[in-house]
Amino acid sequence: MSTWISRTGVALAAGLALAACQPGGFGAPAAVTRAMTVSDGAVMVAGPQGYCIDRGASRDGPEGAFVLFGTCAALAGSRAAGQPSQPVVLTVSVLPGAPEEGALSENFEALARFFRSAPGRAALSRSGEAEAVSVEEIAAAGEVLYLRLHDSSASEGQAVEPEYWRAILALDGRIVTLSALGLKDRPQTSGEKRRALKALVAKIRAANSGGDVS
């Protein structure tokens, strides 16, 4: 198995504990961040309408970056900042190590086999146990690979639903993985989580092609 496939598994597992820590209330109004660059400026991370970056829960360093999105209203402490009608928890992880030759899509079959294997499911698991994760669906759309997963592991912070969606793509030599999770106290359908994830994918791809990030 190639090193970058193993690193993709690590990227998908990164930040799951932080992913459950979306702010849940309205405190004093605060400035919100809708976009930020990570990986020495190589990748711009921006969320879809109504989502802003929780900078206190996000990280960027030599080993990679993790960005957590909450609703702008919750992070700003004001409903006037905006929020989606069906909010979910969105995360983005960025790691070096995308394939040096060829498109990422050329390796989707190998990635699918890895994530269905015990080591792959262990990498996806919040507990690190392969038995806790089942891969419900894997689908490719152009240069993006989507996974629908079920993780029975306990989550830290706010409890999230067992089922969630992940996406994998490559940007500027980096592996970018994205997730959309529903909170147990505000459950969302699988379709709603996938729509939010696809909106996040579209926003980040546009932001890294010179598109609008406002």
Side-chain angles (χ1 to χ4, degrees):
M1 182 185 301
S2 67
T3 300
W4 73 264
I5 289 181
S6 297
R7 288 186 63 82
T8 301
V10 174
L12 282 169
L16 282 175
L18 286 172
C21 298
Q22 184 188 31
F26 294 94
V32 294
T33 302
R34 300 180 186 274
M36 65 183 291
T37 57
V38 298
S39 300
D40 292 326
V43 176
M44 171 74 75
V45 178
Q49 189 70 29
Y51 289 96
C52 291
I53 294 170
D54 185 341
R55 295 191 70 94
S58 301
R59 304 286 184 269
D60 184 22
E63 296 303 313
F66 170 79
V67 179
L68 173 66
F69 286 91
T71 68
C72 296
L75 290 167
S78 170
R79 289 181 173 82
Q83 61 182 348
S85 59
Q86 301 292 336
V88 300
V89 178
L90 298 177
T91 73
V92 179
S93 296
V94 181
L95 282 181
E100 295 181 359
E101 298 181 2
L104 183 64
S105 58
E106 295 175 6
N107 298 278
F108 279 172
E109 288 188 11
L111 276 172
R113 287 194 299 272
F114 171 68
F115 290 126
R116 291 189 187 279
S117 71
R121 287 183 288 113
L124 293 166
S125 174
R126 285 187 288 266
S127 64
E129 298 177 358
E131 295 78 10
V133 172
S134 59
V135 179
E136 305 295 329
E137 183 179 349
I138 299 179
E143 291 299 314
V144 184
L145 187 68
Y146 290 93
L147 302 91
R148 181 167 63 91
L149 307 165
H150 188 281
D151 189 348
S152 61
S153 306
S155 58
E156 298 181 19
Q158 295 189 39
V160 294
E161 295 182 278
E163 186 206 61
Y164 68 100
W165 278 91
R166 288 269 183 174
I168 310 169
L169 57 98
L171 286 174
D172 197 22
R174 272 79 173 176
I175 300 168
V176 182
T177 66
L178 313 94
S179 69
L181 307 95
L183 294 169
K184 279 191 174 180
D185 60 358
R186 290 194 70 174
Q188 305 293 344
T189 67
S190 177
E192 287 165 344
K193 284 176 277 194
R194 184 171 186 178
R195 281 191 289 275
L197 181 61
K198 291 178 73 174
L200 177 61
V201 169
K203 191 70 174 181
I204 288 179
R205 295 183 78 179
N208 287 276
S209 300
D212 182 19
V213 298
S214 61

